[in-house]
Amino acid sequence: MSDNIEKKSEPLLSKKRKELLSNPMDSDNPITIQVLGICSALAVTIALEGTVIMAIAVFFVLVMANVIISALRNTIPNRIRIIVQLVVVASLVAVVDQVLRAFAYEQSKALSVFVGLIITNCIVMGRLEAFALGNKPWDSFLDGVGNAVGYGWIIIAIAFVRELFGAGKLFGQVILSKEWYVANGFFATPAAACIILGVIIWVLRARSGYVED
Amino acid sequence: MGYFENLLRIFIDAIFIDNMIFAYFLGMCSYLAVSKKYKTAAGLGAAVIFVLAITVPLNWLAYNMLLKEGALTWISPELAEIDLEVLKFIVFIAIVAAFVQLTEMVIEKFSPALYNSLGIFLPLIAVNCSILGAALFLPTREYDLAEATVFGLGSGIGWFLAVVSLAAIREKMAYSDVPKPLRGLGITFIIVGLMALGFMSFQGFKLPFQRLDDQPKEEVSTVENQSSDAVVIQTTKIEE
């Protein structure tokens, strides 16, 4: 997708555009293949509720930043593009942070610094650099949606395993009763997040046949 | 329980107990990317120590002199009600990015040798989460300037230790027969997990002196979401 040579008559969801949307969810996943955005993937996944909020926040920031940068792409001087990108992303994150404080205060406290760290989330910067700077807003929108969903489903999968086995709960509801299940504290630790992510990557790559050097 | 013991405690906490990588996963992206070779890992690690030790106090100043509610009273008492905290993300990231850019230019000008060994890593650091993360911890932790500096330095050294040790393991691993789909990223994550388990043992590590204010205060964290009967290893619980 290096260049946008499409004609005006291209349908809104052509084959190429469908791939923009679907590739990041599977064969070009931002976490398991591109290795981006790992920090928050590991740190926020202790419980499902916070993770879902985080996924929504990243979705909003990534899609909006992609569209804004893409719309501005011809006016941004190349030398200062990093600063421009950082300012756009930081403003969007400030909006997200204020909304969370207003409507989900407890969760925003629980996520602590990790909402702010969406600014330096490599997925956002990576997509802006690699895609939004060279493509039209609609394509960038689809690319942002694809990558945000690809990111979201991985972190939700990790959080599912960690909350289920670490606390016997899902979304705070008891699933595995204390009477017969002893919660495994290991899954609540940061180390477990790493190992679960390693195993998810193993499974996905075994399925797709992708081998790193 | 003097002031210097307090500083020492913050320092050791930041290196071992609240390690940037193993307790908070900050700076993971560059951590995984540069840990293939020991030499590059050491170079980036040194750059992170340097940038953290300078930008954390700079951001402390920005936060306490500019952004915090009532921080502007040093200009005029009428400004006591102004709260610019909403701007903290933009200000912090601007300071980090500007400082990194400045350092790069200064090093390039005065020490080309150092620039060649370190220079390529410096731009990477502006988007290293551990730098911004350390700044974002400041508002909740209420350090003073000296404590903030020590915290920045300690966090940097902790990051350095983590990246160098992972790089050493990965270099040795070149001789191992890892299953194909697990090669590269997969096995690295599992190793990081095991290393994090090792670092957890530092949490039982009681230093002989307490922090200045004896009130144990729990930092609000995701850990609170989980059931109390689990064997909680409270990675983010700190006594302040």
Side-chain angles (χ1 to χ4, degrees), chain B residues 218-234:
Chain B
E218 225 175 87
E219 185 166 295
V220 187
S221 74
T222 43
V223 175
E224 286 189 348
N225 287 339
Q226 71 175 77
S227 75
S228 50
D229 55 349
V231 187
V232 186
I233 303 180
Q234 300 270 25

Side-chain angles (χ1 to χ4, degrees), chain B residues 102-166:
Chain B
L102 199 69
T103 319
E104 199 186 344
M105 290 192 296
V106 170
I107 294 182
E108 189 179 10
K109 176 99 176 139
F110 292 105
S111 173
L114 182 62
Y115 180 75
N116 286 335
S117 61
L118 204 68
I120 44 166
F121 298 119
L122 279 169
L124 267 179
I125 290 183
V127 286
N128 185 321
C129 328
S130 62
I131 315 283
L132 185 66
L136 290 175
F137 279 127
L138 291 176
T140 49
R141 292 200 178 169
E142 296 171 358
Y143 289 143
D144 66 18
L145 183 55
E147 288 171 339
T149 314
V150 166
F151 168 68
L153 188 66
S155 302
I157 293 175
W159 203 91
F160 176 87
L161 270 183
V163 77
V164 166
S165 41
L166 180 64

Side-chain angles (χ1 to χ4, degrees), chain A residues 35 37-39 42 46 97-98 101 110 113-114 116-117 119 122 178 185 188-191 194 197 201-202 205-206 212, chain B residues 22 24-29 86 88-90 129 133 136 181-185 189 192-193 200 220 222 226 229 231 235:
Chain A
V35 205
I38 307 294
C39 320
L42 298 171
I46 197 159
D97 187 49
Q98 294 298 311
R101 275 169 196 235
V113 299
F114 292 102
L117 286 172
I119 299 172
C122 328
K178 275 175 205 162
T189 64
C194 274
L197 184 54
I201 290 170
W202 187 2
R205 286 186 176 178
E212 203 173 311
Chain B
F22 298 127
Y24 296 114
F25 300 112
L26 295 178
M28 279 303 260
C29 306
V86 57
K88 71 177 178 214
F89 298 129
I90 297 182
C129 328
L136 290 175
L182 197 57
R183 273 184 204 166
L185 193 59
F189 269 117
V192 174
M200 260 171 214
V220 187
T222 43
Q226 71 175 77
D229 55 349
V231 187
T235 53

Side-chain angles (χ1 to χ4, degrees), chain A residues 36-90:
Chain A
L36 299 172
I38 307 294
C39 320
S40 52
L42 298 171
V44 302
T45 51
I46 197 159
L48 266 172
E49 198 179 351
T51 310
V52 170
I53 289 180
M54 186 70 184
I56 294 170
V58 169
F59 182 89
F60 171 78
V61 172
L62 182 54
V63 172
M64 291 292 286
N66 247 1
V67 171
I68 292 173
I69 292 291
S70 169
L72 293 174
R73 70 186 187 281
N74 294 325
T75 57
I76 301 176
N78 197 36
R79 283 185 69 92
I80 59 160
R81 64 180 197 286
I82 302 273
I83 303 273
V84 174
Q85 289 164 6
L86 282 176
V87 170
V88 169
V89 176

